[in-house]
Amino acid sequence: MFPPTFRNNRWIALIVGNSRLHWGEFAGDMLRRAWDTPHRDRSWEKGETATGEGLDGTTPLWIASVVPEQLQFWQTYPQIKIIDLSCIPLTGVYPTLGIDRALAVWGAYHRWGGPVLVVDGGTALTFTGIDDRPELVGGAILPGLGSQFKSLARNTANLPQLAANERRSLPPRWALDTPSAIQSGVLYSTVAGVKDFIEAWWRDFPGSRAILTGGDCQILANALMFQFPDIARTTIVDEHLIFWGMQSIVWENSP
């Protein structure tokens, strides 16, 4: 239970992802709103980083970053607090585990308990599992939906670049045009992979939870429901897992 003094505190969470900045505005343990912005670059004026996104110099800003050079744009903010792997009370963590994966799975454990598998559909599609101790079981990484589409467009002549969110349901498996063929290849193979990892997790940890999160979580959930409805019905969708992980860390480090 969060103490009343914590519930009254306003703070900002910032997750620096591989391609975007993910923001959350909290009142204690309540997430008021969440939004995304592009990465900062040197065209931003020095003072703008301290006043943008609702920051006034007195509001605590908690940052977790998978892109170290992005941290330089926030170092002068007076109330900055950086979250790294040492802040997360997981055992079995290896030094190169992404802080975004660690926070998401810690958020899942904090909110749902363990064992739990987190499937995070972002720039990378990651699978991260922990047991009930909580100790890291392990995981896997492959390109996310958007990354797969971009890779085909960049490396194959005359193929159009498609956004991952252009289709809410699965295309025909046997496509008769190039855009649909790209979507068929990426979506069917990715969803089959997600199904395989979830089933493997449930074999190792029967009765445990699997949770979809990240920017493409709803696309993956819809595709699972279309192709594998029994798995989709027992899979949780929670796009804010990483913020719940930060919420727990902030609470534990607040007076």
Side-chain angles (χ1 to χ4, degrees), residues 162-175:
L162 300 175
N165 60 359
E166 283 185 4
R167 184 182 288 272
R168 294 184 177 273
S169 62
L170 289 176
R173 183 183 292 270
W174 309 113

Side-chain angles (χ1 to χ4, degrees), residues 1-9 28-29 251 254-255:
M1 178 67 67
F2 293 100
T5 53
F6 177 77
R7 294 197 196 105
N8 295 330
N9 293 335
D29 60 336
W251 172 51
S254 296

Side-chain angles (χ1 to χ4, degrees), residues 15-32:
I15 313 295
V16 180
N18 288 298
S19 56
R20 293 180 296 173
L21 304 179
H22 308 287
W23 299 86
E25 180 183 2
F26 281 83
D29 60 336
M30 181 182 296
L31 179 61
R32 286 179 168 174

Side-chain angles (χ1 to χ4, degrees), residues 45-173:
E45 296 181 4
K46 183 177 180 181
E48 194 167 354
T49 59
T51 58
E53 312 305 336
L55 299 173
D56 57 9
T58 64
T59 301
L61 172 64
W62 292 75
I63 298 182
S65 176
V66 298
V67 185
E69 54 268 27
Q70 281 288 310
L71 286 176
Q72 65 182 311
F73 297 105
W74 310 98
Q75 294 289 355
T76 59
Y77 186 75
Q79 294 294 325
I80 186 175
K81 300 177 186 293
I82 297 175
I83 296 176
D84 58 25
L85 284 179
S86 67
C87 301
I88 302 175
L90 280 174
T91 58
V93 173
Y94 54 90
T96 58
L97 177 69
I99 186 64
D100 52 344
R101 293 177 64 196
L103 279 170
V105 80
W106 182 244
Y109 179 81
H110 180 70
R111 198 168 183 84
W112 302 98
V116 63
L117 172 70
V118 171
V119 182
D120 192 337
T123 302
L125 175 59
T126 64
F127 303 85
T128 312
I130 61 173
D131 61 22
D132 56 2
R133 284 178 274 191
E135 181 175 354
L136 180 68
V137 174
I141 303 172
L142 69 153
L145 293 176
S147 298
Q148 292 183 59
F149 289 134
K150 289 176 183 176
S151 177
L152 279 171
R154 183 171 56 248
N155 297 314
T156 308
N158 300 319
L159 287 183
Q161 180 171 325
L162 300 175
N165 60 359
E166 283 185 4
R167 184 182 288 272
R168 294 184 177 273
S169 62
L170 289 176
R173 183 183 292 270

Side-chain angles (χ1 to χ4, degrees), residues 115-248:
V116 63
L117 172 70
V118 171
V119 182
D120 192 337
T123 302
L125 175 59
T126 64
F127 303 85
T128 312
I130 61 173
D131 61 22
D132 56 2
R133 284 178 274 191
E135 181 175 354
L136 180 68
V137 174
I141 303 172
L142 69 153
L145 293 176
S147 298
Q148 292 183 59
F149 289 134
K150 289 176 183 176
S151 177
L152 279 171
R154 183 171 56 248
N155 297 314
T156 308
N158 300 319
L159 287 183
Q161 180 171 325
L162 300 175
N165 60 359
E166 283 185 4
R167 184 182 288 272
R168 294 184 177 273
S169 62
L170 289 176
R173 183 183 292 270
W174 309 113
L176 291 173
D177 63 83
T178 298
S180 295
I182 296 172
Q183 291 189 333
S184 174
V186 170
L187 289 169
Y188 278 101
S189 60
T190 300
V191 172
V194 170
K195 168 187 176 287
D196 182 70
F197 270 93
I198 291 175
E199 287 182 330
W201 179 259
W202 283 339
R203 285 194 296 271
D204 290 340
F205 298 94
S208 64
R209 291 182 172 92
I211 305 179
L212 295 172
T213 193
D216 289 335
C217 65
Q218 197 57 60
I219 297 172
L220 293 172
N222 292 343
L224 274 175
M225 182 59 73
F226 185 85
Q227 188 75 356
F228 308 109
D230 289 343
I231 289 180
R233 292 189 189 101
T234 52
T235 300
I236 298 167
V237 179
D238 188 336
E239 61 181 316
H240 296 314
L241 277 187
I242 197 166
F243 288 134
W244 306 141
M246 291 188 77
Q247 175 202 67
S248 175

